[in-house]
Amino acid sequence: NRNNLPGLCREFISHLTSYVEAQQGCLYLEDTEGDTAALNLTAGFNLNTGREHTRFLAGESYVGTCYLEKRILEVNNLTDSFA
């Protein structure tokens, strides 16, 4: 997977979610082309197809906010509608 970034990201998120015993996981990579920073979904583990957002702008939603503020946000006890 050294020459295949999406494949490496899928392998990484799969192992990471297993290691931390998470039910789901996403890996977004920064897209700095253009004037506005954005994050693109590169890999996911156990995602509900069609419900995941594939792109977030800096400051948008939890993903973009964590990126903008450069901090980790842990969210627990989500309702079934978020799973």
Side-chain angles (χ1 to χ4, degrees):
N1 283 331
R2 269 190 192 158
N3 297 321
N4 178 0
L5 184 58
L8 179 63
C9 290
R10 281 190 302 275
E11 189 173 325
F12 172 79
I13 198 65
S14 175
H15 288 288
L16 180 63
T17 53
S18 176
Y19 180 76
V20 299
E21 298 179 353
Q23 293 178 350
Q24 294 179 327
C26 296
L27 183 63
Y28 291 86
L29 293 183
E30 180 182 38
D31 176 7
T32 56
E33 292 183 27
D35 295 337
T36 306
L39 300 163
N40 294 318
L41 178 64
T42 305
F45 177 79
N46 197 28
L47 297 180
N48 295 331
T49 305
R51 289 194 54 206
E52 70 274 6
H53 295 282
T54 58
R55 183 175 175 86
F56 289 98
L57 298 176
E60 179 182 25
S61 189
Y62 285 138
V63 174
T65 300
C66 290
Y67 167 79
L68 190 63
E69 295 182 3
K70 299 189 183 335
R71 66 183 183 97
I72 295 171
L73 175 65
E74 184 176 343
V75 180
N76 294 307
N77 300 320
L78 295 173
T79 63
D80 289 340
S81 64
F82 283 96

